[in-house]
C-alpha cells in the first residue's frame, strides 16, 4: 500500500508539474503573439512610406501599444508607374513584377507568379482594347463586320491571343 501511495503521489506531482509547464508555455505563447501583433501594426504603419516620411510619436506608440493603426480599415493604395518586369522565355521563375508607387511616394512592387500571373493576364486581356482608331474605313477591332462583305475582300484579320 505504501508503494502504491508513493507511486500515486509521484504521478500526481508529475501531472501537476506538466500542467504548470503547459500553462507557462501558454503564457509565453500569448506574450509572443501579442508582441507579433504589435510589431505587425508598426510595420503596417510604415508600409509604403519612403524613408524620409515623418510619423508622429503618437502614431507609432499607438501602433506599438494597441497592435492597430488608424489606417488598418483602409487598403493600401498603389499607383502603377507604367513599368513591368516580365521574365524572358528562358527563365525558370515565371513571375511578373509590376512596379508601383504607394500613395505616400514609396516604391512598391506587386509580384505575380504561377497561375495567378496567367489569371491576371487573362482578366486584363478580357477588358483591353486598342484605343487608337484605324484611319482606313473597315479596319480595326470591331467584331460586327461580316466576313462575306465584298468591301472586306482581300483583308486579313489578325487577333492577338494574350
Amino acid at each position: 500500500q505504501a508503494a502504491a501511495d508513493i507511486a500515486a503521489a509521484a504521478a500526481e506531482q508529475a501531472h501537476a508539474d506538466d500542467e504548470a509547464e503547459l500553462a507557462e508555455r501558454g503564457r509565453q505563447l500569448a506574450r509572443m503573439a501579442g508582441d507579433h501583433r504589435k510589431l505587425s501594426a508598426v510595420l503596417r504603419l510604415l508600409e509604403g512610406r519612403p524613408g524620409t516620411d515623418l510619423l508622429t510619436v503618437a502614431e507609432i506608440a499607438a501602433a506599438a501599444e494597441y497592435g492597430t493603426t488608424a489606417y488598418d480599415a483602409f487598403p493600401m493604395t498603389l499607383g502603377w508607374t507604367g513599368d513591368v518586369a516580365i521574365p524572358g522565355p528562358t527563365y525558370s521563375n515565371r513571375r511578373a513584377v509590376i512596379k508601383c508607387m504607394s500613395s505616400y511616394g514609396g516604391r512598391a512592387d506587386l509580384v505575380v507568379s504561377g497561375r495567378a500571373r496567367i489569371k491576371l493576364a487573362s482578366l486584363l486581356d478580357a477588358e483591353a482594347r486598342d484605343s487608337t482608331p484605324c484611319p482606313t474605313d473597315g479596319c480595326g477591332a470591331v467584331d460586327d463586320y461580316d466576313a462575306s462583305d465584298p468591301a472586306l475582300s482581300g483583308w486579313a484579320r489578325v487577333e492577338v491571343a494574350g
Side-chain angles (χ1 to χ4, degrees):
Q1 181 62 34
D5 289 343
I6 291 173
E12 209 173 291
Q13 181 62 39
H15 183 68
D17 290 345
D18 289 344
E19 282 186 355
E21 187 167 337
L22 282 174
E24 178 59 28
R25 295 286 185 249
R27 283 189 293 277
Q28 290 174 352
L29 185 59
R31 203 167 33 250
M32 287 177 10
D35 290 343
H36 178 71
R37 184 177 51 84
K38 292 174 182 180
L39 175 64
S40 294
V42 172
L43 293 176
R44 283 193 314 275
L45 182 65
L46 301 175
E47 185 176 48
R49 296 175 189 267
T52 57
D53 198 26
L54 299 176
L55 289 169
T56 66
V57 172
E59 288 176 305
I60 297 170
E65 179 66 26
Y66 303 114
T68 185
T69 72
Y71 310 109
D72 282 349
F74 303 108
M76 182 179 178
T77 303
L78 299 177
W80 182 40
T81 62
D83 190 23
V84 178
I86 300 174
T90 58
Y91 288 93
S92 61
N93 188 358
R94 305 289 293 163
R95 67 181 196 161
V97 180
I98 302 165
K99 307 289 183 175
C100 298
M101 186 74 65
S102 76
S103 57
Y104 300 108
R107 190 184 116 199
D109 292 342
L110 174 62
V111 179
V112 187
S113 60
R115 292 188 185 275
R117 179 175 164 255
I118 295 167
K119 184 174 182 180
L120 176 62
S122 68
L123 290 171
L124 293 175
D125 187 52
E127 297 297 320
R129 295 286 184 254
D130 187 2
S131 60
T132 306
C134 181
T136 306
D137 184 41
C139 77
V142 180
D143 293 331
D144 58 359
Y145 285 113
D146 183 13
S148 64
D149 186 353
L152 297 177
S153 178
W155 282 82
R157 180 175 176 154
V158 177
E159 291 187 24
V160 179

